[in-house]
Amino acid sequence: NNGDSFSTDVNPQAMQLWNAMIHPFINMRFTGAVWYQGEANADNAASYACRFPAMITDWREKFDLPDLSFFFVQLAAFSDARWPNFRSAQLAAAQLPKVGYVTAIDLGDPSSPHGAIHPRRKQEVGRRLSLSARSIQYEEREGLVYAGPTLAGVQFTHGTSNEESTTFIRLSFVPGTADNLHTMQAPECDKCCSELPFQVLDITGKWVTVNNGVVINSEMHLSTNTSAILGVRYAWEAYPQCLMYNGQGGADDHTGIAAAPFEWCAYPSGKPSWTGEACNIPGSNAAPEDPFEVL
């Protein structure tokens, strides 16, 4: 109250959330926590990348539960240009022990009656969280697939295709995460898989879409006329139209899991990926080493 009017802002601040909603449970003994949040912080990815893991560490200290498992949901597909980098910032928390995450990159819902920012496919989110919990909290390993295809390596070769100079890109994945690797359209997509979710970074610093790709032996093989490739991205966009999966089917089949967005750089700049500047572009006057030798 400023003397003339009352504030109409009903959104609680950080300390109000802690004091009113978390602190009352301080004496309870929890096995784990699930966190589904981030939309309101998308305008400051760098700050979130610091504060999110700090919050998890603080909870473990305040509750005196140093081994508290913590699971979070990476933001779903949504038409907001800030979200691709922010999803990367969320992953800063995954560096802590006993922290797992699930992707919802394929679970966007533009026709949700609650608004597109509130997608309805929560059952699939819950299924993926349960798989992560079984792996991290209960140490279930044999035969359990709890993540989508997870990038393990990138290889390049030069050749020709249709008498044009072509760069062939081979993406390999962590064993067990890419069984029955395939692409599948996102729900309610427009372009769907007529446009693949891959981009490469060229020598001018421009990300170029790659539309030629085929799955061979649980690997994704791409080809492009871009000669010098300095980076590779997958699903690094607000609302991807096409995704990679393991298992069977897509978002509504509840068997496979989509690959989470990733970015790979031939020459890392040392900056975090959430800055959008993780890949270094060699100076025009320098003669960089051959990036095609990098794996």
Side-chain angles (χ1 to χ4, degrees):
N1 185 357
N2 61 13
D4 299 317
S5 63
F6 289 93
S7 171
T8 58
D9 184 2
V10 297
N11 291 316
Q13 301 302 307
M15 286 306 298
Q16 292 172 295
L17 288 170
W18 167 259
N19 288 326
M21 302 181 70
I22 306 298
H23 188 269
F25 299 110
I26 205 75
N27 293 320
M28 296 187 70
R29 302 296 83 190
F30 296 108
T31 298
V34 170
W35 183 264
Y36 193 158
Q37 184 274 341
E39 296 88 341
N41 301 94
D43 60 345
N44 198 337
S47 174
Y48 197 85
C50 176
R51 291 190 292 155
F52 188 28
M55 186 201 76
I56 297 170
T57 301
D58 187 59
W59 279 23
R60 289 170 169 173
E61 179 181 336
K62 293 291 197 305
F63 281 95
D64 193 23
L65 293 171
D67 295 323
L68 178 76
S69 293
F70 196 98
F71 305 92
F72 67 91
V73 182
Q74 198 177 36
L75 291 189
F78 180 72
S79 296
D80 188 318
R82 301 170 299 172
W83 284 27
N85 287 348
F86 185 81
R87 293 185 188 111
S88 176
Q90 290 182 285
L91 297 184
Q95 300 178 45
L96 296 175
K98 296 197 74 173
V99 171
Y101 79 96
V102 301
T103 183
I105 192 63
D106 58 326
L107 303 180
D109 190 0
S111 62
S112 170
H114 312 293
I117 203 168
H118 297 293
R120 290 170 288 181
R121 292 176 171 82
K122 297 298 192 297
Q123 182 179 12
E124 178 60 14
V125 172
R127 184 185 75 90
R128 295 176 186 183
L129 285 166
S130 71
L131 293 171
S132 185
R134 285 166 60 185
S135 173
I136 292 175
Q137 176 61 35
Y138 300 104
E139 300 182 347
E140 186 177 339
R141 294 289 187 269
E142 187 174 353
L144 179 69
V145 179
Y146 63 93
T150 304
L151 186 69
V154 181
Q155 285 186 302
F156 301 91
T157 56
H158 295 293
T160 58
S161 178
N162 296 324
E163 299 183 353
E164 291 186 354
S165 178
T166 302
T167 301
F168 298 96
I169 310 164
R170 191 176 81 185
L171 306 179
S172 58
F173 302 92
V174 173
T177 69
D179 292 347
N180 198 34
L181 181 70
H182 64 283
T183 57
M184 192 77 179
Q185 64 193 40
E188 301 184 58
C189 59
D190 179 19
K191 297 180 181 178
C192 302
C193 285
S194 64
E195 183 174 295
L196 293 180
F198 301 99
Q199 294 177 310
V200 295
L201 181 65
D202 68 17
I203 197 66
T204 69
K206 180 181 179 181
W207 289 95
V208 181
T209 299
V210 176
N211 271 326
N212 297 315
V214 62
V215 174
I216 302 175
N217 297 328
S218 296
E219 296 180 336
M220 178 60 71
H221 290 235
L222 307 172
S223 61
T224 176
N225 293 331
T226 303
S227 55
I229 295 175
L230 303 178
V232 179
R233 280 178 172 176
Y234 155 77
W236 203 274
E237 51 189 307
Y239 202 120
Q241 299 282 296
C242 182
L243 291 307
M244 282 192 301
Y245 285 87
N246 55 27
Q248 302 290 331
D252 294 325
D253 294 290
H254 309 299
T255 58
I257 304 176
F262 61 74
E263 179 182 75
W264 175 91
C265 300
Y267 303 106
S269 67
K271 297 179 181 180
S273 56
W274 57 79
T275 65
E277 300 175 351
C279 296
N280 188 45
I281 308 298
S284 58
N285 295 326
E289 58 185 291
D290 187 355
F292 303 104
E293 295 300 321
V294 180
L295 301 183

